[in-house]
Amino acid sequence: MAATTGTSAPRVAVFDLDGTLLDSLPDLASAARRLLAAYGLDTIDDADVRAMVGDGAAALVARLL
């Protein structure tokens, strides 16, 4: 946690990439399709990407490839 000065509250940034607070699937699916295209692999639809999401970005990439 960042140090604070005086009585001001600490500044916090929260990232939610698992869809709990916002729907990030469209962005994840788009990135997945770009990755697959870069390797000359077949495309994938959003539903397939949704089934692969969880456990972080490295797990998603491993599942895609």
Side-chain angles (χ1 to χ4, degrees):
M1 179 178 237
T4 61
T5 58
T7 60
S8 61
R11 294 182 182 191
V12 178
V14 178
F15 294 91
D16 172 52
L17 301 177
D18 67 357
T20 305
L21 298 176
L22 61 105
D23 183 10
S24 55
L25 181 65
D27 293 325
L28 291 172
S30 177
R33 284 188 281 276
R34 287 193 306 268
L35 174 70
L36 294 172
Y39 282 93
L41 300 172
D42 292 336
T43 192
I44 191 170
D45 63 27
D46 287 13
D48 291 330
V49 174
R50 181 183 306 278
M52 296 180 188
V53 171
D55 304 318
L60 176 59
V61 170
R63 292 170 184 151
L64 287 165
L65 298 177

